[in-house]
Amino acid sequence: MAERYVADLVVQRLLAWRVPRVFGYPGEAIAPIIEALERTGGDPAFIPARHEETASFMATGHAKFTGGIGVCLATQGPSAVQLLNGLYDAKLDSKPVVAIVGEDISGPLGGAHQEIGLSRLFADVCNQFVRYGRSPQDVPGLLDQAFRTAAATRSPTCVVLPRHLQEALVPDLQTNAVGVISATPGEPLARVLPHEVDLEAAAQLLGSGQRTAILVGQGGRGAAAEIVELADRLGAGVATSLLGKPVLDERLPFHAGVLGEVGTPAAVELMGGCDTLLLVGTNDPWTDYFPMPGQTRTVQIDIDGRRIGTRYPADVPLVGDAAETLRALLARVPDRPNPQWRATVENSVDRWRAEAADRAAAPAEPINPQLVLQELSSRLPGVGSVAVDVGSVLYWYARHLALPPGVNAQLCGTLGSMGCALPYAVAAKLAVPDQPVVALVGDGAMQLNGLAELITVSHHWQSWRDPRLVVLVLNNRDQNGMGGGRQPSGDPTQRRPDVPYAGWARLLGLHGVRVDRPELIGAAWDEALAADRPCVLEAVVDPAVPLAPPEPAFADLRGLYADGAAARKVREQTERTVAAQDLV
């Protein structure tokens, strides 16, 4: 029987947990594990990134796009530090990731090269789950515990394995031996439902409402049919958080769009006019855009009870899976549509959609970035994935890109870290290589790490059944990275270097398209989406196009169909409230 090392044991546990690939950056302290991965012939595969930070973003992107557990690999010292960004992304967006960190420390404590206290480094981001392997007997149970904890808590965990342990021979590990933990891989998912009394209270509250709004977050994934059925039964309007944008068909006439700073006036009006609110799987931090305190009676559904009531007061908390809980509510909520309210919401949605089209058609120098995203809407394939970066591109995505039902879109929603989209796109493409992927990136993120990660794309694309991975780069040459209506400065220190992004793609053997005329945008998208290899579509856009966030609060849909006196009363009360706040 061939000798086995602990590094081989690590790979066996990864296989047992059905991990398809591990993202990382090679280093001496993890060399035995990488060699063990190579001995398996690519199952699981090791995907080397250009930087540890992008490796951790890839692992988090894998968890976001697939619903599985992402795995990243790095060494101690600065390599471990650079994992933190992607791991915090996983923590704040509630995604399971396991970080395996190698350690190669010798010499007196505190005197070794690259030594960093890993327990303290990872304690916060990994919710205190940082475990060290001490002996071969530890490793199987330790890894199982890390995976099970990541899945159960929807958060990152960390296992530190010294190099000398990775290189140790595996003894005959009997399951009944002292110190050996026998564990079965896999995290069985429980069926979580609220108590009957709470479901009855929620149904009564929702059934008695007159103007119902439903706000949907990422926790609503898989429950689109139930949400729409409930909305129709109550005559409700719906809006989504930024992370919840892919959950519902955005072509629904009562879908007001994304709520928040990057969102739509229609969503703000929906929140301002409702008297009953249902929150489904959302932890949206933009509470300034929620209804005024005391305005609504509220039901909140979330699988994590710790989140209920943290953003907005909940009259009836329902801890449970979104789809299961909504089905239970549908069995109890009466059919009480309010045609007047629904018509008011739909009119508001129609006005916003017309306004969005006008904004995209507005002249700009040379191209209006809103037009670039609007032109993609009619061309986006009906299957596949979209990865979105941070910056002005996030505003245009939220308002102007209508996602077809079934298209998965992901972004660094809560942490808001620039440079996530291209690593996400790589993870999405590796997970489903026979479907197209589109990454939406600003020139700042592209210079931050995107140019380097195109090397990763060029290394893998020829093995993909569908070679389409389109990277849109909005090149606004803006040092701030946000644009937002600021006029370009004459000061060269305030201007971002103008990099030939499409040209760099061609140097790597990829396709590249550069467009700087608005009438050619549609043709440029057609060319990029029809290319026989990954493509960088570089659109030269105007940094002076304003972001124009909607005004939070006080927008009240009730005034749109109330009698004139009532509408005037609402406006006068609003004005008095604003004046009082200005005096404080």
Side-chain angles (χ1 to χ4, degrees):
M1 182 176 177
E3 291 181 331
R4 285 195 310 159
Y5 299 93
V6 169
D8 298 305
L9 198 59
V10 171
V11 174
Q12 288 176 9
R13 298 320 291 167
L14 295 177
L15 284 170
W17 280 88
R18 299 184 295 279
V19 174
R21 60 196 62 85
V22 178
F23 304 95
Y25 191 87
E28 286 297 318
I30 54 171
I33 295 177
I34 293 175
E35 291 167 4
L37 287 165
E38 291 174 348
R39 286 195 291 271
T40 67
D43 186 21
F46 175 63
I47 308 298
R50 304 308 112 192
H51 193 279
E52 294 88 350
E53 179 179 275
T54 52
S56 63
F57 273 132
M58 288 177 188
T60 299
H62 173 87
K64 289 185 175 186
F65 278 105
T66 69
I69 301 175
V71 180
C72 55
L73 197 59
T75 66
Q76 84 248 9
S79 183
V81 171
Q82 288 159 174
L83 288 179
L84 290 178
N85 215 18
L87 295 181
Y88 269 110
D89 179 23
K91 177 182 179 177
L92 296 183
D93 281 354
S94 299
K95 301 302 175 186
V97 173
V98 175
I100 300 175
V101 179
E103 190 175 59
D104 191 8
I105 299 296
S106 59
L109 183 65
H113 181 55
Q114 292 191 326
E115 183 177 347
I116 288 177
L118 297 178
S119 292
R120 286 180 293 173
L121 179 69
F122 288 107
D124 178 62
V125 69
C126 293
N127 294 319
Q128 303 299 322
F129 189 98
V130 186
R131 303 288 188 271
Y132 278 74
R134 302 298 183 188
S135 69
Q137 290 88 341
D138 290 343
V139 173
L142 187 62
L143 287 170
D144 290 342
Q145 188 182 7
F147 275 89
R148 188 163 287 110
T149 301
T153 62
R154 298 174 298 281
S155 65
T157 59
C158 177
V159 174
V160 181
L161 298 177
R163 174 166 177 153
H164 68 80
L165 177 59
Q166 299 171 41
E167 295 173 324
L169 285 170
V170 177
D172 183 15
L173 298 179
Q174 300 297 325
T175 57
N176 59 351
V178 175
V180 175
I181 300 174
S182 177
T184 302
E187 173 62 23
L189 297 178
R191 181 172 182 255
V192 182
L193 272 174
H195 292 294
E196 292 289 328
V197 64
D198 295 323
L199 289 168
E200 291 292 345
Q204 184 177 359
L205 188 155
L206 293 171
S208 64
Q210 298 298 312
R211 300 180 302 276
T212 302
I214 303 175
L215 179 61
V216 181
Q218 64 170 337
R221 287 177 185 269
E226 290 82 1
I227 293 168
V228 172
E229 183 178 350
L230 184 60
D232 284 336
R233 186 171 298 185
L234 298 173
V238 300
T240 71
S241 70
L242 188 57
L243 288 172
K245 180 178 166 73
V247 172
L248 298 175
D249 184 352
E250 296 187 277
R251 297 169 298 184
L252 292 167
F254 52 89
H255 193 318
V258 172
L259 180 70
E261 183 180 316
V262 303
T264 73
V268 175
E269 291 175 353
L270 175 66
M271 292 295 112
C274 67
D275 66 3
T276 306
L277 178 63
L278 172 61
L279 302 172
V280 181
T282 178
N283 193 37
D284 197 325
W286 275 317
T287 55
D288 285 353
Y289 292 86
F290 279 45
M292 297 295 289
Q295 174 186 322
T296 68
R297 299 175 68 209
T298 303
V299 175
Q300 183 172 1
I301 301 171
D302 205 293
I303 190 66
D304 189 344
R306 296 171 299 179
R307 292 186 169 173
I308 289 181
T310 59
R311 302 296 189 186
Y312 192 79
D315 296 283
V316 181
L318 297 177
V319 178
D321 300 301
E324 291 271 10
T325 303
L326 287 165
R327 281 195 286 271
L329 281 176
L330 283 166
R332 295 167 171 82
V333 172
D335 189 6
R336 291 192 55 194
N338 182 336
Q340 189 179 22
W341 170 246
R342 174 60 74 83
T344 303
V345 172
E346 291 182 0
N347 288 337
S348 176
V349 171
D350 289 342
R351 286 196 307 276
W352 156 245
R353 290 175 179 171
E355 180 185 341
D358 290 343
R359 289 185 183 187
E365 182 58 41
I367 293 176
N368 186 331
Q370 298 169 105
L371 182 62
V372 180
L373 273 295
Q374 187 148 298
E375 288 288 337
L376 173 60
S377 275
S378 61
R379 295 173 169 83
L380 193 64
V383 295
S385 302
V386 176
V388 189
D389 221 297
V390 172
S392 59
V393 69
L394 198 58
Y395 286 74
W396 316 139
Y397 156 77
R399 298 169 185 164
H400 296 282
L401 183 61
L403 297 170
V407 170
N408 195 354
Q410 297 290 346
L411 52 115
C412 186
T414 310
L415 182 64
S417 180
M418 186 184 293
C420 61
L422 200 47
Y424 279 9
V426 170
K429 191 65 180 179
L430 291 171
V432 190
D434 59 350
Q435 292 185 2
V437 175
V438 176
L440 308 177
V441 185
D443 53 356
M446 202 62 185
Q447 291 186 26
L448 183 68
N449 58 32
L451 292 171
E453 287 307 327
L454 281 180
I455 299 172
T456 306
V457 174
S458 71
H459 180 67
H460 290 281
W461 76 266
Q462 294 189 36
S463 66
W464 297 337
R465 289 187 291 276
D466 183 332
R468 290 178 294 172
L469 192 162
V470 179
V471 181
L472 168 68
V473 181
L474 293 181
N475 183 5
N476 64 10
R477 295 90 61 210
D478 182 68
Q479 185 67 34
N480 178 270
M482 292 294 287
R486 296 179 297 102
Q487 292 297 322
S489 170
D491 183 353
T493 64
Q494 301 302 312
R495 300 282 286 167
R496 192 180 301 282
D498 195 1
V499 173
Y501 303 100
W504 169 240
R506 289 191 289 269
L507 286 175
L508 293 174
L510 309 177
H511 194 60
V513 179
R514 188 177 190 272
V515 60
D516 57 6
R517 292 167 56 189
E519 67 271 18
L520 298 179
I521 295 171
W525 273 119
D526 292 337
E527 180 180 346
L529 289 166
D532 64 351
R533 62 195 62 207
C535 176
V536 170
L537 171 54
E538 178 188 352
V540 184
V541 297
D542 190 345
V545 174
L547 300 179
E551 289 293 330
F554 306 126
D556 196 331
L557 269 180
R558 285 172 293 184
L560 297 177
Y561 65 85
D563 62 87
R568 284 194 299 274
K569 185 177 180 181
V570 169
R571 287 195 298 271
E572 290 168 0
Q573 178 61 44
T574 297
E575 290 167 359
R576 285 195 297 270
T577 303
V578 172
Q581 289 179 339
D582 289 342
L583 293 173
V584 175

